[in-house]
Every structure is written in C-alpha cells, then in structure tokens.
Amino acid sequence: MTTLSGTGTLLRLALRRDRVTTPVWIAVNALMVLSMPNTLKTLYGTESERTDLVRQLQTNASFRALIGPLHDTSLGGLTAWRVGVYAGVLAAVTGLLVVVRHTREEEETGRAELLASGAVGRRAALTAALLAAGAANAVLALVVAVGLAPQGGAGALSLGLGLGAVGMVFATTAAVVAQLTESARPARGLTSAVLGAAFVLRAAGDSASRDGSSPLTWLSPLGWLENLRPFGGERWWVLGLFTAAVLVQAGVAYVLAGRRDLGMGFFPARPGPATGALGSAAALAWRLQRGGLLGWSLGFFVSGVVFGGLAQDAADLVGENDNAREIFERMGGHGALTDAFLASMTGMLGLVAALYMVSSVLRLHAEETSGRAEPLLAAPVGRLRWAAGHLTVALGGSALIMLLAGLGFAVGYGKEVGPVLGACLVQLPAVWVIGALALLLYGVAPRLAPTAWGVAVAVLLIGWVGPALNAPRIVLDLSPFGHLPKLPGGGMEWGPVLSLLGAAALPASLGLAALRRRDVTA
C-alpha cells in the first residue's frame, strides 16, 4: 500500500459530501462577477463618466485601498477592478473551508482514524482534499472565463485563472495549517488570519501607489491577482507566482503530514486546568466562541473606519453620475448623497453580520454532530439552557460587532456619532431574523441546518446585487433588510422594527421547542 492509496475513493466521498455547499459558493461567486458588466454599463455607460472615475481613483487613496487600481476602462476592465479582489477573497474562503473540512475536521471527529484502519494511505486524505478544492476552483475559473468571454477572451481567461489560482493558494495554506493544529476551528481561524493579512497588505500597497506597483501589493496573493491585469494588458507571467506558491505550500503540507501522528498537530493544544473554571453552559459557549467574535469585531471596526473615511468623499466619487446616485439611494438612503452612502454601507455591514449570526447559531449543530454535546447534556444541563448559552453569544455578538462598526464609522467620518451609530444598530432585527431561521432549521431538521448558509447568502445577494440590477420591489422585499428604516437620512419607523423582532421570535421559539423534543444525534 502506498501513501496515496484510496485517494480516488476519498475524493469521490469529498465531492459527494460537498455536493450542495461547494456549488453554492461557486454560484454566488460567479453570479457576483458575471452580473457586473450590465451593472457597470448602467453606471459608467459613457466615456466621460469613465474618465471621471479614473480621475477620482488617481486622487483618492482610500477608494484604491478598498477596491484597487483601475487598469482599463472597458466593461471587462471595470468588472475586474470592481469585484476582482472580493471574488478572490470568496474563492480563497471556499478553498480553505474545503481543505480543512476534509483533513483536520475528519481527524478531529475520529472518522479519519476509521478510514485509516483500511487500505488508505497516510497522504490520501490530504490529496483528496486538495483535489476537491482544485475541482471547485477549476469550475469557478471555467464559468467566469466563459461568462465574460463577450467582454474579451484573453481578459476573461486571465480573470478566471486568477480567481482559481487565488483559491488554490489559500487551499494549500489551509493544508499546511491543518498539519499544525489539533482542531478544525483554529485551522480555519489561522488561515483566515493569513487571508486578512493578505487583504491588508494589498490595501496598504494600493493606497500608496496608483498602479499596484507597491512592494506591499506584491507581497499579497490578492495583489498578484490585481497585477495579472485582466482586460488591461494581461501579465501572464504572474500566474507563475501562483503556481510556485501552490507547489511550495503543497510540498510543505505533504512533508508535515508524513511526520506526525494521526489526530495530532505540531502545535498541541494546551492542557486545561486540573479543576474546571466554567460554571455554566453560557460560560462554555463564550469560551468556545470568543476567538471568532474577536476577529469579527476587529473586522467590523476597521471596515467602519474605512467606509466612514470614504463617506467624506462620497459626492466626489459619484460626481455627476445620476445612475450611481440612484443605486446608492436604492440600497438604503434618501436625501443627501453622503447620508445615502452611509445608509448603503451600514446596510452592507448588516448583511455581512447575518453571516456571523448564522455561524454562531450553527455552533450548536457543530457541537452536536462532533459528539461533544451528548456528554454535556448527560450532565445536569438541560437542552434549552445549553442552547441559550450559544444564542446569548450569537445575539450579543451581533449587537457588539454592529456597535463597533458604528463606532468605526464615527471615527472615520468624524461627524454626528449618533445617527450613524443608530443606522448600524437598526440592522439588528433583520440580522436576528436570519439567525432565528437558522435555529429553526437546526431544531426541526438538523441535517438541513447547513442550508441556513444558503438563506444568508441569498439575502446578501438580494441586498447587494438587487439594487444594482434594478430588481423589482417584490424581490427586494424578500429580504428582511428591505423593510428596515433607511438611516441616516430617513425617518425612524418603529413599526417594521417591532414586526421583524416578532418575526425573529416565532421561528426561534419553534426551533427551541423542536430541539427539546427530538433525539440528539449520536
């Protein structure tokens, strides 16, 4: 038996287990990219509007840090500029989730040990995970290349390959990190930290240079994606950097995988105290989720500072572009353009906060399926008290990150703290509705609980892409965020807020009642 024996079987198993989640991630990413040409044609349909955009980018370092430099004013070039970095981030997240799930998570749950007792080689699981991530990124690259081909074949191909390459760089990063830790959550957290550092390096480099030539930009794989320059005089040699990074990291992961025991890591977990210090289910939930909440809190505060700084130049960024002004107002604001910009950005952070809410609520599902909930519930801890601990963290955590986002806006904008803080906090009822739906799915049908991610992503797309595509009101109203008062700039309306709170309470109550009556997964 070789170290790769059983790879094909494990690959088929991985693809079967990911047959829903991975296609959803790919579809969301591809839709975000492929919807941009028509949107940008509406926003910047004339040469004068595009020239004005280039002028603003040349003089606004904050805007370059947020999105990146513009290398070409064609629709394809505008698409690569507008969504390239964020599509790369999404591809990276997909890759790291796939690899961690089929390597470290399998070892943590004990399934890998059962498989290893058969004819399965030491490096088969790692190989299968990387092949699964490679398949996902290949499909993304193909869909983007074909979908954007009418804008230019070479540019479409380079953007598709660049997105797939970014995904594989962070997939192999996750493969290395998975050998170092003993748990899936630190593996995902550390890889996400590397991705965050890559984004910060790219942003710092782009703010310092107008064409992406800063050394800081070149230190980031996301900066490589920019400097591949799709639709702007493609630099095909940049793909060599991605290839080298993937090969080096994959090689390191293979070496590490052959030098450790199954289930162990090079950074072993610290032993706990001889006497437990956690006196309640809520304290345990806080201990389990505090690291993730810290990362979300930092990200939201920094995002608030960045968006707040951009708000001061919102009128200059839009200029005389009436279409852009209308889209900002449809996304969440009325009245002055600065208020419309602030309302749209706070609404976007609210949509992202819904993702945190789902991840926090579904920690209940992770604890149950991993087998850690069963011995806890065998002690004098009721199911409702156990669930309430995680729900308290989810509700309080979502409020905390939106509060910090509001404070970040206040720091960046430097004016009128109260209105922008209220605009952030008013997003919470809609965020809690999404969390309540996740709890309902978990309580009634735990096997369907991961589909809560699909609900959150659908709401995100409605809020982000819907206004740009001029979607009808009936579609926008499918999202709970579409019923919130538009602050700042609009008047406060308590009726929709209270209705959303009631809409959140009902599915949450039904989910808890179902959890109390069903069997716990063994």
Side-chain angles (χ1 to χ4, degrees):
M1 184 178 70
T2 67
T3 59
L4 298 180
S5 297
T7 298
T9 301
L10 292 181
L11 175 60
R12 290 192 295 272
L13 176 62
L15 294 177
R16 178 176 176 79
R17 293 181 61 199
D18 292 344
R19 65 187 182 276
V20 175
T21 55
T22 299
V24 167
W25 281 103
I26 295 172
V28 169
N29 206 348
L31 180 61
M32 179 177 66
V33 175
L34 300 182
S35 65
M36 274 297 110
N38 287 334
T39 302
L40 293 169
K41 186 177 181 180
T42 302
L43 285 173
Y44 309 104
T46 66
E47 188 63 31
S48 62
E49 290 173 340
R50 298 177 188 179
T51 301
D52 185 62
L53 175 65
V54 172
R55 179 181 60 82
Q56 295 298 334
L57 285 176
Q58 294 294 328
T59 59
N60 195 302
S62 297
F63 203 43
R64 289 199 309 272
L66 184 64
I67 301 180
L70 178 61
H71 299 298
D72 184 74
T73 58
S74 67
L75 287 179
L78 288 172
T79 297
W81 159 74
R82 181 63 183 84
V83 297
V85 170
Y86 296 96
V89 170
L90 194 54
V93 171
T94 304
L96 74 89
L97 290 178
V98 169
V99 171
V100 172
R101 182 183 189 190
H102 298 296
T103 54
R104 176 52 61 185
E105 187 172 308
E106 290 294 281
E107 295 185 35
E108 185 180 5
T109 58
R111 289 188 291 263
E113 186 175 6
L114 294 175
L115 292 173
S117 63
V120 175
R122 176 182 288 270
R123 297 181 175 90
L126 175 59
T127 305
L130 290 175
L131 289 175
N137 285 293
V139 172
L140 174 64
L142 178 62
V143 172
V144 169
V146 173
L148 289 182
Q151 309 301 329
L157 180 61
S158 64
L159 180 58
L161 291 176
L163 294 178
V166 170
M168 285 309 300
V169 166
F170 286 95
T172 51
T173 301
V176 173
V177 175
Q179 312 307 314
L180 302 178
T181 65
E182 287 190 2
S183 176
R185 286 187 69 83
R188 286 190 288 263
L190 288 174
T191 310
S192 299
V194 174
L195 176 58
F199 187 90
V200 171
L201 285 172
R202 179 214 58 82
D206 287 342
S207 66
S209 69
R210 298 180 177 182
D211 58 357
S213 60
S214 169
L216 292 176
T217 302
W218 283 104
L219 290 175
S220 168
L222 297 175
W224 303 347
L225 177 61
E226 286 182 354
N227 281 295
L228 185 57
R229 295 194 175 182
F231 301 99
E234 291 77 14
R235 294 173 168 177
W236 297 104
W237 60 268
V238 176
L239 292 174
L241 297 177
F242 289 109
T243 303
V246 169
L247 292 177
V248 169
Q249 291 188 132
V252 172
Y254 274 95
V255 170
L256 295 177
R259 296 188 177 184
R260 66 176 179 86
D261 293 332
L262 187 67
M264 301 299 292
F266 286 90
F267 298 154
R270 293 180 300 173
T275 303
L278 298 178
S280 66
L284 175 60
W286 167 249
R287 176 69 64 85
L288 292 174
Q289 297 204 41
R290 63 184 181 182
L293 179 57
L294 176 61
W296 281 91
S297 299
L298 179 61
F300 267 60
F301 179 76
V302 173
S303 298
V305 172
V306 172
F307 289 142
L310 287 175
Q312 300 183 26
D313 301 320
D316 293 334
L317 290 174
V318 175
E320 301 300 325
N321 193 324
D322 294 333
N323 291 321
R325 183 186 302 267
E326 180 183 354
I327 286 178
F328 270 127
E329 293 176 352
R330 292 191 76 217
M331 288 181 70
H334 300 285
L337 181 60
T338 299
D339 285 342
F341 179 84
L342 288 170
S344 65
M345 293 301 102
T346 54
M348 285 302 304
L349 289 180
L351 292 169
V352 177
L355 298 178
Y356 163 78
M357 187 73 184
V358 170
S359 69
S360 185
V361 171
L362 290 187
R363 186 59 193 264
L364 290 164
H365 181 258
E367 292 295 298
E368 180 178 349
T369 55
S370 65
R372 292 188 292 265
E374 188 174 11
L376 180 65
L377 295 175
V381 176
R383 295 188 187 188
L384 294 184
R385 189 150 59 95
W386 169 67
H390 287 278
L391 291 179
T392 300
V393 175
L395 294 170
S398 59
L400 175 63
I401 63 176
M402 291 307 299
L403 175 63
L404 290 174
L407 294 177
F409 271 104
V411 171
Y413 186 42
K415 303 175 183 178
E416 299 178 348
V417 176
V420 73
L421 192 60
C424 288
L425 295 179
V426 82
Q427 308 296 319
L428 289 175
V431 173
W432 292 342
V433 167
I434 304 302
L437 292 176
L439 180 60
L440 176 63
L441 286 169
Y442 165 67
V444 173
R447 288 177 61 87
L448 298 179
T451 60
W453 286 110
V455 175
V457 170
V459 169
L460 180 65
L461 287 176
I462 291 173
W464 189 7
V465 181
L469 296 181
N470 200 23
R473 187 74 248 176
I474 191 173
V475 174
L476 299 178
D477 285 344
L478 292 175
S479 167
F481 291 89
H483 303 277
L484 293 171
K486 311 305 180 184
L487 302 177
M492 180 60 188
E493 301 174 14
W494 288 102
V497 171
L498 296 176
S499 297
L500 287 173
L501 290 174
L506 178 59
S509 301
L510 293 175
L512 290 173
L515 173 63
R516 187 178 183 183
R517 288 172 173 81
R518 69 170 173 82
D519 293 334
V520 175
T521 303

